[in-house]
Each structure stands twice: as C-alpha cells, then as structure tokens.
Amino acid sequence: MLEPEKMYMSYNNIHKLCQTVAQQILAKGERPDVIIAITGGGMIPARIIRSFLKFKGEKNIPIQAIGLSLYEDLGLDDKVETIGKEVIRTQWLDFGALDKHFDSLIGKKVLIVDEVDDTRTTLHYAVTELKKEVDEQRIKLNRLNEETIFSIFVLHNKDKPKKAELPASIMGTGRYLAAETVPDKWLCYPWEATDIDEHTRLSIEQGNN
C-alpha cells in the first residue's frame, strides 16, 4: 500500500518542470551565463534545464558543481572540521580555473540549481559563500563596477518554515524560481529509485507524471 507521506516524481514530470521554468527565465531575458549545480539532487535538473536554455548557434551554458552536506545528517564526530554551523563543503568551485577559462563569475548571471528547498539552509549557504568569494575577486581584480546576478532554481519548494533566509536581491526580484510548491512530505526522485518501473507507477498514481 502506498505510504501517504511520500511523493513520487517521475523523470517526465521533472523534465516538464525544467522546461516551464526555462521558459520563464528566457521570457525575462535572464538567460544565465553559468549554471552551478548543488551535487546530488541538483545535477540532473541542471543538465535538463540547460537544454531548454540553449539558443541555436550558441555554446552550451557551462555547468559547475558544488557539494554541500548538512552536518547533522552525516553522523560525523567532533573531530571533523565544519564550515559554517550546519553545512560542510564536500566540493567547491576552483576560482583559479574559472579565472583562467571562464573569466571568473564577475559580472555574470549565475543560476544555482538544486532539487528541493527544504529548510533553505543549503541554499542560504551556497548563495552567501559564492557571493562572498565573488566580491573578494571583484576587489582583488578592481572590477567593482561589475555586478554578479544570482538566481535560484529548485524543482520543489516545501511549504514549511525555513531555518535560513535568502537575500532580497533574489527573493525580491523574481530570481527565486521554484517550479512547484509542495506539502512537507518525503519527496522521492527517480535518480534515487532502485526500481524505476515501480517508481514511475507510483508517480503516475499520484499524478506526478
């Protein structure tokens, strides 16, 4: 029997959500210069939405990856060095490589992608740290007149109180893009499934196909 606290999402559903949000981005003229995927849940949506943001004759938007994990979920002991109160970095951008191959993130439109906005802790950390490092680069390279614009795309925003806030430059400007707002339930994504046929069947039963 289907457990009511779980919501199953199919690949078809996710593909369509990415297409819808991409159309919104293009309609506003805010096609990103670079996509930053939070590893794990953000990688597949980032790759899908890039296809819908591509213009004929133009290069693909580069995708960079950052890895963030909630410390409380890892079962780590006190000897592990943490960065921030709740989040640790498992992978981060190489700003030296970006400077060499992509002229850094300074002055770029940056789209941060994850699958779900749950407590908002991870997204808050990602935006705060990326902005801080870009600002440091702006000072270092004397490019203070070039603004980097951050946006966020998530497949699902859980309708629940958040533990962290996002800056007004994102929330107050229409640059927070959640394809759907859903109840605070356990979201089951297809890339986590061990039986994709069963997962798809449950997605269809719930109308998430």
Side-chain angles (χ1 to χ4, degrees), residues 142-207:
N142 194 26
R143 295 171 62 178
L144 297 176
N145 61 329
E146 299 178 56
E147 181 185 7
T148 299
I149 297 174
F150 290 99
S151 301
I152 288 174
F153 163 51
V154 292
L155 294 169
H156 299 104
N157 170 40
K158 287 191 179 182
D159 187 9
K160 62 186 290 186
K162 307 300 185 184
K163 294 183 178 179
E165 299 296 329
L166 294 171
S169 58
I170 291 176
M171 300 302 291
T173 58
R175 296 192 177 106
Y176 173 82
L177 301 160
E180 288 186 330
T181 296
V182 296
D184 185 17
K185 295 183 179 181
W186 184 353
L187 302 181
C188 302
Y189 291 100
W191 48 83
E192 300 167 337
T194 54
D195 184 340
I196 192 61
D197 293 325
E198 175 70 1
H199 181 99
T200 302
R201 183 185 69 79
L202 294 171
S203 300
I204 293 171
E205 278 187 17
Q206 293 185 338

Short mmCIF file of all heavy atoms in Angstrom, two decimals, residues 142-207:
data_model
loop_
_atom_site.label_atom_id
_atom_site.label_comp_id
_atom_site.label_asym_id
_atom_site.label_seq_id
_atom_site.Cartn_x
_atom_site.Cartn_y
_atom_site.Cartn_z
N ASN A 142 39.94 44.64 -9.02
CA ASN A 142 39.49 46.02 -9.25
C ASN A 142 38.38 46.07 -10.31
O ASN A 142 38.44 46.84 -11.27
CB ASN A 142 40.67 46.92 -9.67
CG ASN A 142 40.30 48.40 -9.58
OD1 ASN A 142 39.42 48.78 -8.80
ND2 ASN A 142 40.98 49.22 -10.38
N ARG A 143 37.36 45.23 -10.11
CA ARG A 143 36.21 45.19 -11.02
C ARG A 143 34.92 45.43 -10.24
O ARG A 143 33.94 44.73 -10.39
CB ARG A 143 36.18 43.84 -11.75
CG ARG A 143 37.38 43.63 -12.67
CD ARG A 143 37.46 42.22 -13.21
NE ARG A 143 36.32 41.86 -14.03
CZ ARG A 143 36.19 40.68 -14.65
NH1 ARG A 143 37.14 39.77 -14.52
NH2 ARG A 143 35.13 40.42 -15.37
N LEU A 144 34.95 46.46 -9.41
CA LEU A 144 33.84 46.73 -8.50
C LEU A 144 32.58 47.20 -9.23
O LEU A 144 31.48 47.16 -8.66
CB LEU A 144 34.26 47.78 -7.47
CG LEU A 144 35.40 47.34 -6.53
CD1 LEU A 144 35.79 48.49 -5.61
CD2 LEU A 144 34.99 46.13 -5.71
N ASN A 145 32.72 47.66 -10.46
CA ASN A 145 31.55 48.15 -11.20
C ASN A 145 30.80 47.03 -11.93
O ASN A 145 29.80 47.29 -12.60
CB ASN A 145 31.98 49.21 -12.21
CG ASN A 145 32.95 48.68 -13.24
OD1 ASN A 145 33.73 47.78 -12.94
ND2 ASN A 145 32.91 49.23 -14.45
N GLU A 146 31.28 45.79 -11.80
CA GLU A 146 30.63 44.67 -12.49
C GLU A 146 29.86 43.82 -11.47
O GLU A 146 30.44 43.24 -10.56
CB GLU A 146 31.69 43.81 -13.19
CG GLU A 146 32.48 44.56 -14.25
CD GLU A 146 33.55 43.70 -14.89
OE1 GLU A 146 33.20 42.63 -15.42
OE2 GLU A 146 34.73 44.08 -14.83
N GLU A 147 28.56 43.77 -11.66
CA GLU A 147 27.70 43.05 -10.70
C GLU A 147 27.44 41.63 -11.16
O GLU A 147 27.12 41.38 -12.32
CB GLU A 147 26.37 43.78 -10.56
CG GLU A 147 25.42 43.13 -9.57
CD GLU A 147 24.05 43.79 -9.53
OE1 GLU A 147 23.81 44.67 -10.38
OE2 GLU A 147 23.24 43.40 -8.68
N THR A 148 27.56 40.70 -10.24
CA THR A 148 27.18 39.31 -10.49
C THR A 148 25.75 39.12 -9.99
O THR A 148 25.43 39.47 -8.86
CB THR A 148 28.13 38.34 -9.78
OG1 THR A 148 29.45 38.53 -10.28
CG2 THR A 148 27.70 36.89 -10.01
N ILE A 149 24.90 38.57 -10.87
CA ILE A 149 23.49 38.38 -10.52
C ILE A 149 23.23 36.90 -10.26
O ILE A 149 23.44 36.06 -11.13
CB ILE A 149 22.59 38.88 -11.66
CG1 ILE A 149 22.79 40.38 -11.86
CG2 ILE A 149 21.12 38.58 -11.36
CD1 ILE A 149 22.05 40.95 -13.06
N PHE A 150 22.78 36.61 -9.04
CA PHE A 150 22.48 35.23 -8.65
C PHE A 150 20.99 34.97 -8.72
O PHE A 150 20.18 35.79 -8.28
CB PHE A 150 22.98 34.96 -7.23
CG PHE A 150 24.47 34.91 -7.10
CD1 PHE A 150 25.18 36.02 -6.64
CD2 PHE A 150 25.18 33.76 -7.44
CE1 PHE A 150 26.56 35.97 -6.51
CE2 PHE A 150 26.56 33.71 -7.32
CZ PHE A 150 27.25 34.82 -6.86
N SER A 151 20.64 33.81 -9.27
CA SER A 151 19.27 33.31 -9.26
C SER A 151 19.28 31.88 -8.74
O SER A 151 20.32 31.22 -8.74
CB SER A 151 18.66 33.34 -10.67
OG SER A 151 18.66 34.64 -11.22
N ILE A 152 18.11 31.43 -8.31
CA ILE A 152 17.98 30.06 -7.79
C ILE A 152 16.84 29.36 -8.51
O ILE A 152 15.77 29.95 -8.71
CB ILE A 152 17.72 30.06 -6.28
CG1 ILE A 152 18.98 30.45 -5.52
CG2 ILE A 152 17.20 28.70 -5.79
CD1 ILE A 152 18.77 30.63 -4.03
N PHE A 153 17.08 28.11 -8.89
CA PHE A 153 16.03 27.25 -9.44
C PHE A 153 15.98 25.96 -8.64
O PHE A 153 16.98 25.27 -8.49
CB PHE A 153 16.29 26.94 -10.92
CG PHE A 153 15.49 25.77 -11.44
CD1 PHE A 153 14.12 25.70 -11.26
CD2 PHE A 153 16.12 24.73 -12.11
CE1 PHE A 153 13.39 24.61 -11.73
CE2 PHE A 153 15.40 23.64 -12.59
CZ PHE A 153 14.03 23.58 -12.39
N VAL A 154 14.80 25.65 -8.11
CA VAL A 154 14.56 24.36 -7.47
C VAL A 154 13.31 23.74 -8.09
O VAL A 154 12.40 24.45 -8.51
CB VAL A 154 14.39 24.47 -5.94
CG1 VAL A 154 15.68 24.89 -5.27
CG2 VAL A 154 13.25 25.42 -5.57
N LEU A 155 13.30 22.44 -8.16
CA LEU A 155 12.11 21.75 -8.66
C LEU A 155 10.95 21.94 -7.69
O LEU A 155 9.82 22.23 -8.09
CB LEU A 155 12.38 20.26 -8.83
CG LEU A 155 13.41 19.86 -9.89
CD1 LEU A 155 13.76 18.39 -9.75
CD2 LEU A 155 12.87 20.16 -11.29
N HIS A 156 11.24 21.80 -6.39
CA HIS A 156 10.17 21.83 -5.40
C HIS A 156 10.56 22.67 -4.18
O HIS A 156 11.67 22.53 -3.66
CB HIS A 156 9.85 20.40 -4.94
CG HIS A 156 9.38 19.52 -6.05
ND1 HIS A 156 10.18 18.55 -6.62
CD2 HIS A 156 8.20 19.49 -6.72
CE1 HIS A 156 9.52 17.95 -7.60
NE2 HIS A 156 8.32 18.49 -7.67
N ASN A 157 9.64 23.51 -3.79
CA ASN A 157 9.77 24.26 -2.54
C ASN A 157 8.78 23.65 -1.55
O ASN A 157 7.58 23.62 -1.80
CB ASN A 157 9.44 25.74 -2.76
CG ASN A 157 9.33 26.49 -1.45
OD1 ASN A 157 10.10 26.28 -0.53
ND2 ASN A 157 8.34 27.38 -1.36
N LYS A 158 9.30 23.15 -0.43
CA LYS A 158 8.41 22.59 0.58
C LYS A 158 7.74 23.71 1.37
O LYS A 158 8.40 24.66 1.83
CB LYS A 158 9.19 21.68 1.53
CG LYS A 158 9.59 20.35 0.91
CD LYS A 158 10.11 19.39 1.98
CE LYS A 158 10.49 18.06 1.37
NZ LYS A 158 10.95 17.10 2.40
N ASP A 159 6.43 23.59 1.51
CA ASP A 159 5.64 24.59 2.22
C ASP A 159 5.80 24.38 3.72
O ASP A 159 5.03 23.66 4.35
CB ASP A 159 4.17 24.46 1.80
CG ASP A 159 3.31 25.58 2.36
OD1 ASP A 159 3.87 26.54 2.92
OD2 ASP A 159 2.07 25.48 2.24
N LYS A 160 6.83 25.02 4.27
CA LYS A 160 7.17 24.84 5.69
C LYS A 160 8.02 26.02 6.14
O LYS A 160 8.61 26.73 5.31
CB LYS A 160 7.95 23.53 5.88
CG LYS A 160 9.28 23.51 5.13
CD LYS A 160 9.97 22.16 5.21
CE LYS A 160 10.49 21.84 6.57
NZ LYS A 160 11.29 20.59 6.58
N PRO A 161 8.11 26.25 7.44
CA PRO A 161 9.00 27.30 7.94
C PRO A 161 10.45 26.98 7.57
O PRO A 161 10.88 25.83 7.61
CB PRO A 161 8.80 27.25 9.46
CG PRO A 161 7.47 26.59 9.65
CD PRO A 161 7.33 25.61 8.53
N LYS A 162 11.19 28.01 7.21
CA LYS A 162 12.59 27.84 6.82
C LYS A 162 13.52 28.22 7.97
O LYS A 162 13.19 29.06 8.81
CB LYS A 162 12.90 28.71 5.59
CG LYS A 162 11.96 28.50 4.41
CD LYS A 162 11.97 27.07 3.90
CE LYS A 162 11.11 26.96 2.63
NZ LYS A 162 11.02 25.56 2.15
N LYS A 163 14.69 27.61 7.98
CA LYS A 163 15.69 27.89 9.00
C LYS A 163 16.67 29.00 8.59
O LYS A 163 17.49 29.43 9.39
CB LYS A 163 16.47 26.61 9.35
CG LYS A 163 15.62 25.54 10.01
CD LYS A 163 16.47 24.33 10.38
CE LYS A 163 15.65 23.27 11.08
NZ LYS A 163 16.46 22.07 11.42
N ALA A 164 16.60 29.41 7.34
CA ALA A 164 17.51 30.45 6.85
C ALA A 164 16.77 31.28 5.80
O ALA A 164 15.75 30.85 5.26
CB ALA A 164 18.76 29.83 6.25
N GLU A 165 17.31 32.45 5.53
CA GLU A 165 16.70 33.36 4.56
C GLU A 165 17.62 33.53 3.36
O GLU A 165 18.83 33.33 3.43
CB GLU A 165 16.44 34.72 5.20
CG GLU A 165 15.48 34.69 6.39
CD GLU A 165 14.08 34.25 6.00
OE1 GLU A 165 13.67 34.52 4.86
OE2 GLU A 165 13.39 33.64 6.84
N LEU A 166 17.02 33.91 2.25
CA LEU A 166 17.76 34.27 1.05
C LEU A 166 17.71 35.77 0.86
O LEU A 166 16.75 36.42 1.28
CB LEU A 166 17.17 33.55 -0.17
CG LEU A 166 17.30 32.03 -0.16
CD1 LEU A 166 16.49 31.40 -1.29
CD2 LEU A 166 18.76 31.61 -0.26
N PRO A 167 18.73 36.35 0.22
CA PRO A 167 18.80 37.82 0.10
C PRO A 167 17.67 38.40 -0.74
O PRO A 167 17.11 37.74 -1.61
CB PRO A 167 20.16 38.06 -0.55
CG PRO A 167 20.53 36.77 -1.19
CD PRO A 167 19.91 35.69 -0.37
N ALA A 168 17.35 39.66 -0.44
CA ALA A 168 16.30 40.36 -1.18
C ALA A 168 16.63 40.48 -2.66
O ALA A 168 15.73 40.56 -3.50
CB ALA A 168 16.08 41.75 -0.57
N SER A 169 17.92 40.46 -2.98
CA SER A 169 18.33 40.55 -4.39
C SER A 169 17.86 39.34 -5.19
O SER A 169 17.82 39.37 -6.42
CB SER A 169 19.86 40.67 -4.49
OG SER A 169 20.50 39.56 -3.88
N ILE A 170 17.51 38.26 -4.49
CA ILE A 170 16.95 37.07 -5.13
C ILE A 170 15.45 36.99 -4.90
O ILE A 170 14.66 36.90 -5.84
CB ILE A 170 17.64 35.79 -4.61
CG1 ILE A 170 19.09 35.74 -5.10
CG2 ILE A 170 16.89 34.54 -5.07
CD1 ILE A 170 19.89 34.57 -4.56
N MET A 171 15.03 37.08 -3.64
CA MET A 171 13.62 36.90 -3.31
C MET A 171 12.75 38.06 -3.75
O MET A 171 11.57 37.87 -4.06
CB MET A 171 13.47 36.69 -1.79
CG MET A 171 14.21 35.48 -1.26
SD MET A 171 13.68 33.92 -2.03
CE MET A 171 12.02 33.75 -1.39
N GLY A 172 13.32 39.26 -3.78
CA GLY A 172 12.52 40.44 -4.12
C GLY A 172 12.56 40.83 -5.58
O GLY A 172 11.99 41.87 -5.96
N THR A 173 13.22 40.02 -6.40
CA THR A 173 13.39 40.38 -7.81
C THR A 173 12.89 39.31 -8.77
O THR A 173 13.15 39.38 -9.97
CB THR A 173 14.88 40.63 -8.10
OG1 THR A 173 15.62 39.44 -7.77
CG2 THR A 173 15.42 41.82 -7.30
N GLY A 174 12.20 38.32 -8.23
CA GLY A 174 11.70 37.23 -9.09
C GLY A 174 12.79 36.27 -9.51
O GLY A 174 12.61 35.52 -10.47
N ARG A 175 13.90 36.25 -8.80
CA ARG A 175 15.01 35.35 -9.17
C ARG A 175 15.06 34.10 -8.31
O ARG A 175 16.03 33.35 -8.37
CB ARG A 175 16.34 36.12 -9.10
CG ARG A 175 16.40 37.24 -10.13
CD ARG A 175 17.81 37.82 -10.28
NE ARG A 175 17.81 38.83 -11.31
CZ ARG A 175 17.88 40.13 -11.10
NH1 ARG A 175 17.99 40.58 -9.85
NH2 ARG A 175 17.87 41.00 -12.09
N TYR A 176 14.04 33.89 -7.51
CA TYR A 176 13.85 32.62 -6.82
C TYR A 176 12.78 31.87 -7.60
O TYR A 176 11.63 32.30 -7.67
CB TYR A 176 13.41 32.83 -5.38
CG TYR A 176 13.05 31.53 -4.68
CD1 TYR A 176 14.03 30.71 -4.13
CD2 TYR A 176 11.72 31.13 -4.58
CE1 TYR A 176 13.69 29.52 -3.49
CE2 TYR A 176 11.37 29.94 -3.94
CZ TYR A 176 12.36 29.15 -3.41
OH TYR A 176 12.02 27.96 -2.79
N LEU A 177 13.17 30.78 -8.24
CA LEU A 177 12.29 30.07 -9.16
C LEU A 177 12.06 28.65 -8.65
O LEU A 177 12.93 27.78 -8.79
CB LEU A 177 12.91 30.04 -10.55
CG LEU A 177 13.19 31.43 -11.16
CD1 LEU A 177 14.22 31.33 -12.27
CD2 LEU A 177 11.91 32.05 -11.67
N ALA A 178 10.91 28.42 -8.06
CA ALA A 178 10.52 27.09 -7.63
C ALA A 178 9.43 26.61 -8.59
O ALA A 178 8.39 27.26 -8.72
CB ALA A 178 10.00 27.11 -6.20
N ALA A 179 9.69 25.51 -9.26
CA ALA A 179 8.72 25.02 -10.25
C ALA A 179 7.39 24.68 -9.60
O ALA A 179 6.33 24.94 -10.17
CB ALA A 179 9.28 23.81 -10.99
N GLU A 180 7.45 24.09 -8.40
CA GLU A 180 6.22 23.76 -7.67
C GLU A 180 6.44 23.94 -6.17
O GLU A 180 7.55 23.70 -5.68
CB GLU A 180 5.82 22.30 -7.90
CG GLU A 180 5.27 21.99 -9.28
CD GLU A 180 4.75 20.57 -9.39
OE1 GLU A 180 5.27 19.67 -8.69
OE2 GLU A 180 3.81 20.36 -10.17
N THR A 181 5.41 24.37 -5.48
CA THR A 181 5.41 24.35 -4.02
C THR A 181 4.57 23.16 -3.58
O THR A 181 3.44 22.98 -4.05
CB THR A 181 4.83 25.66 -3.45
OG1 THR A 181 5.69 26.75 -3.83
CG2 THR A 181 4.76 25.61 -1.93
N VAL A 182 5.15 22.35 -2.72
CA VAL A 182 4.52 21.08 -2.35
C VAL A 182 4.41 20.98 -0.83
O VAL A 182 5.11 21.70 -0.10
CB VAL A 182 5.33 19.88 -2.89
CG1 VAL A 182 5.35 19.89 -4.41
CG2 VAL A 182 6.75 19.88 -2.33
N PRO A 183 3.55 20.09 -0.33
CA PRO A 183 3.46 19.89 1.12
C PRO A 183 4.78 19.34 1.67
O PRO A 183 5.63 18.85 0.94
CB PRO A 183 2.34 18.84 1.26
CG PRO A 183 1.57 18.91 -0.01
CD PRO A 183 2.56 19.28 -1.08
N ASP A 184 4.91 19.46 2.99
CA ASP A 184 6.12 18.98 3.66
C ASP A 184 6.07 17.47 3.79
O ASP A 184 5.78 16.92 4.86
CB ASP A 184 6.26 19.65 5.02
CG ASP A 184 7.56 19.28 5.71
OD1 ASP A 184 8.48 18.78 5.03
OD2 ASP A 184 7.66 19.48 6.95
N LYS A 185 6.34 16.79 2.67
CA LYS A 185 6.35 15.34 2.64
C LYS A 185 7.71 14.85 2.13
O LYS A 185 8.51 15.63 1.62
CB LYS A 185 5.23 14.81 1.73
CG LYS A 185 3.84 15.12 2.23
CD LYS A 185 2.78 14.52 1.33
CE LYS A 185 1.37 14.81 1.84
NZ LYS A 185 0.33 14.20 0.98
N TRP A 186 7.94 13.58 2.23
CA TRP A 186 9.16 12.95 1.75
C TRP A 186 9.07 12.87 0.23
O TRP A 186 8.22 12.17 -0.32
CB TRP A 186 9.29 11.57 2.37
CG TRP A 186 10.57 10.85 2.04
CD1 TRP A 186 11.55 11.23 1.16
CD2 TRP A 186 11.00 9.61 2.60
NE1 TRP A 186 12.56 10.31 1.13
CE2 TRP A 186 12.25 9.30 2.01
CE3 TRP A 186 10.45 8.73 3.55
CZ2 TRP A 186 12.94 8.14 2.32
CZ3 TRP A 186 11.14 7.59 3.87
CH2 TRP A 186 12.39 7.30 3.25
N LEU A 187 9.95 13.59 -0.45
CA LEU A 187 9.95 13.61 -1.90
C LEU A 187 10.88 12.52 -2.44
O LEU A 187 12.05 12.46 -2.06
CB LEU A 187 10.38 14.98 -2.43
CG LEU A 187 9.53 16.16 -1.97
CD1 LEU A 187 10.05 17.45 -2.59
CD2 LEU A 187 8.06 15.95 -2.30
N CYS A 188 10.36 11.69 -3.32
CA CYS A 188 11.12 10.59 -3.90
C CYS A 188 11.42 10.90 -5.35
O CYS A 188 10.50 10.99 -6.18
CB CYS A 188 10.33 9.28 -3.79
SG CYS A 188 9.89 8.84 -2.09
N TYR A 189 12.71 11.07 -5.67
CA TYR A 189 13.11 11.42 -7.02
C TYR A 189 13.57 10.18 -7.78
O TYR A 189 14.09 9.23 -7.17
CB TYR A 189 14.22 12.48 -6.98
CG TYR A 189 13.72 13.81 -6.48
CD1 TYR A 189 13.92 14.21 -5.16
CD2 TYR A 189 13.00 14.66 -7.32
CE1 TYR A 189 13.43 15.42 -4.70
CE2 TYR A 189 12.51 15.88 -6.87
CZ TYR A 189 12.73 16.26 -5.56
OH TYR A 189 12.24 17.45 -5.11
N PRO A 190 13.42 10.18 -9.10
CA PRO A 190 13.70 8.96 -9.86
C PRO A 190 15.16 8.52 -9.82
O PRO A 190 15.45 7.33 -9.91
CB PRO A 190 13.26 9.32 -11.28
CG PRO A 190 13.23 10.81 -11.33
CD PRO A 190 12.85 11.24 -9.95
N TRP A 191 16.08 9.47 -9.67
CA TRP A 191 17.50 9.09 -9.64
C TRP A 191 17.87 8.40 -8.32
O TRP A 191 18.96 7.86 -8.19
CB TRP A 191 18.41 10.30 -9.88
CG TRP A 191 18.07 11.51 -9.07
CD1 TRP A 191 18.44 11.78 -7.79
CD2 TRP A 191 17.30 12.63 -9.50
NE1 TRP A 191 17.96 12.99 -7.38
CE2 TRP A 191 17.25 13.55 -8.41
CE3 TRP A 191 16.66 12.98 -10.69
CZ2 TRP A 191 16.58 14.77 -8.49
CZ3 TRP A 191 16.00 14.19 -10.76
CH2 TRP A 191 15.95 15.06 -9.68
N GLU A 192 16.95 8.39 -7.37
CA GLU A 192 17.18 7.67 -6.12
C GLU A 192 16.56 6.28 -6.14
O GLU A 192 16.77 5.47 -5.24
CB GLU A 192 16.57 8.45 -4.95
CG GLU A 192 17.15 9.85 -4.78
CD GLU A 192 16.34 10.71 -3.83
OE1 GLU A 192 15.13 10.43 -3.64
OE2 GLU A 192 16.92 11.68 -3.31
N ALA A 193 15.77 5.98 -7.17
CA ALA A 193 14.99 4.74 -7.20
C ALA A 193 15.86 3.53 -7.52
O ALA A 193 16.76 3.61 -8.37
CB ALA A 193 13.87 4.85 -8.23
N THR A 194 15.58 2.43 -6.88
CA THR A 194 16.23 1.16 -7.22
C THR A 194 15.35 0.35 -8.18
O THR A 194 15.86 -0.52 -8.89
CB THR A 194 16.50 0.33 -5.96
OG1 THR A 194 15.29 0.18 -5.22
CG2 THR A 194 17.54 1.03 -5.08
N ASP A 195 14.06 0.65 -8.21
CA ASP A 195 13.13 0.02 -9.15
C ASP A 195 12.40 1.14 -9.88
O ASP A 195 11.39 1.66 -9.40
CB ASP A 195 12.14 -0.89 -8.40
CG ASP A 195 11.22 -1.66 -9.35
OD1 ASP A 195 11.06 -1.24 -10.51
OD2 ASP A 195 10.63 -2.68 -8.90
N ILE A 196 12.91 1.53 -11.04
CA ILE A 196 12.37 2.70 -11.73
C ILE A 196 10.96 2.44 -12.27
O ILE A 196 10.15 3.37 -12.36
CB ILE A 196 13.32 3.17 -12.87
CG1 ILE A 196 12.92 4.55 -13.39
CG2 ILE A 196 13.38 2.13 -13.98
CD1 ILE A 196 12.96 5.63 -12.35
N ASP A 197 10.65 1.20 -12.61
CA ASP A 197 9.30 0.91 -13.09
C ASP A 197 8.28 1.11 -11.97
O ASP A 197 7.21 1.70 -12.19
CB ASP A 197 9.23 -0.53 -13.63
CG ASP A 197 10.06 -0.71 -14.89
OD1 ASP A 197 10.12 0.23 -15.69
OD2 ASP A 197 10.64 -1.80 -15.06
N GLU A 198 8.59 0.60 -10.79
CA GLU A 198 7.70 0.79 -9.65
C GLU A 198 7.60 2.26 -9.28
O GLU A 198 6.51 2.78 -8.98
CB GLU A 198 8.21 -0.03 -8.46
CG GLU A 198 7.44 0.18 -7.16
CD GLU A 198 6.02 -0.41 -7.18
OE1 GLU A 198 5.61 -1.00 -8.20
OE2 GLU A 198 5.32 -0.26 -6.16
N HIS A 199 8.72 2.95 -9.32
CA HIS A 199 8.74 4.38 -9.01
C HIS A 199 7.84 5.14 -9.98
O HIS A 199 7.04 5.99 -9.57
CB HIS A 199 10.18 4.91 -9.09
CG HIS A 199 10.29 6.36 -8.76
ND1 HIS A 199 10.70 6.81 -7.52
CD2 HIS A 199 10.05 7.47 -9.51
CE1 HIS A 199 10.69 8.14 -7.52
NE2 HIS A 199 10.31 8.56 -8.71
N THR A 200 7.96 4.84 -11.26
CA THR A 200 7.14 5.53 -12.26
C THR A 200 5.66 5.21 -12.06
O THR A 200 4.80 6.10 -12.19
CB THR A 200 7.59 5.11 -13.67
OG1 THR A 200 8.97 5.43 -13.82
CG2 THR A 200 6.78 5.84 -14.74
N ARG A 201 5.34 3.96 -11.72
CA ARG A 201 3.95 3.59 -11.48
C ARG A 201 3.37 4.41 -10.33
O ARG A 201 2.25 4.92 -10.43
CB ARG A 201 3.85 2.09 -11.15
CG ARG A 201 2.42 1.60 -10.95
CD ARG A 201 2.39 0.14 -10.52
NE ARG A 201 2.91 -0.04 -9.16
CZ ARG A 201 2.22 0.24 -8.05
NH1 ARG A 201 0.99 0.70 -8.13
NH2 ARG A 201 2.77 0.03 -6.87
N LEU A 202 4.12 4.54 -9.26
CA LEU A 202 3.66 5.32 -8.11
C LEU A 202 3.52 6.80 -8.47
O LEU A 202 2.60 7.48 -8.01
CB LEU A 202 4.61 5.12 -6.94
CG LEU A 202 4.67 3.72 -6.35
CD1 LEU A 202 5.82 3.59 -5.36
CD2 LEU A 202 3.35 3.35 -5.69
N SER A 203 4.44 7.31 -9.29
CA SER A 203 4.36 8.71 -9.74
C SER A 203 3.07 8.95 -10.52
O SER A 203 2.38 9.95 -10.32
CB SER A 203 5.56 9.05 -10.63
OG SER A 203 6.78 8.88 -9.95
N ILE A 204 2.73 8.01 -11.40
CA ILE A 204 1.52 8.14 -12.21
C ILE A 204 0.28 8.07 -11.32
O ILE A 204 -0.66 8.86 -11.49
CB ILE A 204 1.48 7.03 -13.29
CG1 ILE A 204 2.60 7.26 -14.31
CG2 ILE A 204 0.12 7.00 -13.98
CD1 ILE A 204 2.79 6.11 -15.27
N GLU A 205 0.29 7.18 -10.33
CA GLU A 205 -0.84 7.07 -9.39
C GLU A 205 -1.09 8.40 -8.68
O GLU A 205 -2.23 8.78 -8.42
CB GLU A 205 -0.56 5.98 -8.35
CG GLU A 205 -0.86 4.59 -8.80
CD GLU A 205 -0.73 3.59 -7.65
OE1 GLU A 205 -0.73 4.02 -6.47
OE2 GLU A 205 -0.66 2.39 -7.94
N GLN A 206 -0.03 9.11 -8.38
CA GLN A 206 -0.16 10.37 -7.65
C GLN A 206 -0.35 11.57 -8.57
O GLN A 206 -0.48 12.70 -8.11
CB GLN A 206 1.09 10.59 -6.78
CG GLN A 206 1.23 9.60 -5.65
CD GLN A 206 2.40 9.92 -4.75
OE1 GLN A 206 3.35 10.62 -5.14
NE2 GLN A 206 2.36 9.42 -3.52
N GLY A 207 -0.33 11.34 -9.87
CA GLY A 207 -0.49 12.44 -10.82
C GLY A 207 0.78 13.25 -11.02
O GLY A 207 0.72 14.41 -11.44
#
